[in-house]
Amino acid sequence: MITIILSILFVLVFGVMWAQKKFKFIERDADGRLVRVLYKPFVVAVIALLFILLQPYEMKKIEAGYQGLLVDLVGDSRGASTIKEVSGWKIYSTWTEEIHQIPLDQRTIRYEKQAVIAKGGFPCDISPSFNHSVKRATSADMFTNLRTSYRNGGLEAVEQGWLEIAILGAVSDVANKWVIDDIFNNRSGFEAAIVVEANKRVGKWFTISQLRTNIQPPPSIVESIKAKAKAVQDAITSESQAKAATADAQRKIALAKGDSATVVIAASSEAAALKLKQRELTALYVEYIKASKWDGKLPTTTLGNTTPMINISK
């Protein structure tokens, strides 16, 4: 940017001087004949232009959300021990210094499909995705240790190199400690364990969060999990049916008991009534019933020694 500013100033100054005829390469007399060539203004202009084009200074703005690191390229450690944090607009010499901007915001990464081995030797495919951010307090140390990758491709080169190896290593090591059933029955716990392990490995420079393994089981395990889930569902269904059958049997027993009780009660009542009738059924009471039902007429015909139904006595 400084080179552009100086170039614009050079053109303005040269144009003004040329317009005012203060900047001439050739001197002529009154008749227009060449008197001499003025080399000094030409040399000054060339030197000024070369200085503008070759000057080492540059001006750079550190954007919001980034941390600026001013690295000294002349020290014995070639920048390893002379890194300063800068912000805003900064003028520096490109011959002896360089400025790197390190993003501090949350970044999302998803790696390509990889294979890991769960405990017991079962292979699984993963394509982990996660959020990460650079720790401001240790960003200079991160740059010092990973400066070759960072200079070649910025933070993206670190993400696809050192960070990828660390994350995939954490996923693989944790998967080796988990049996396949536990991984898929408690995936959140499995991924939380990976986050803890990943932060142990990269936590000096990065913060890892929101990790998802997107793990896929092998086909044989898928079938096994489906069969197990079906067996559990069938067991639940059988248990429900058994409970329903038991309840229905108990209902029928209760109904049978109620019906039996009703029959017993009715029979007892009938027996008691009959017993009572037997006690009250005397000869006199029988004659009374006959008399109450007689219409006062005697039969007109009798056979043998039969007697009237009603005993008529005076």
Side-chain angles (χ1 to χ4, degrees), residues 116 126 128 166-176 190 194 197 211 213:
V116 297
I126 63 165
I167 295 299
L168 294 180
V171 174
S172 179
D173 290 349
V174 173
N176 289 339
F190 172 65
I194 294 175
E197 180 63 26
L211 184 140
T213 57

Side-chain angles (χ1 to χ4, degrees), residues 108-121:
T108 300
I109 299 177
R110 179 163 185 164
Y111 292 132
E112 296 298 324
K113 184 184 294 184
Q114 305 283 336
V116 297
I117 305 299
K119 187 176 181 180

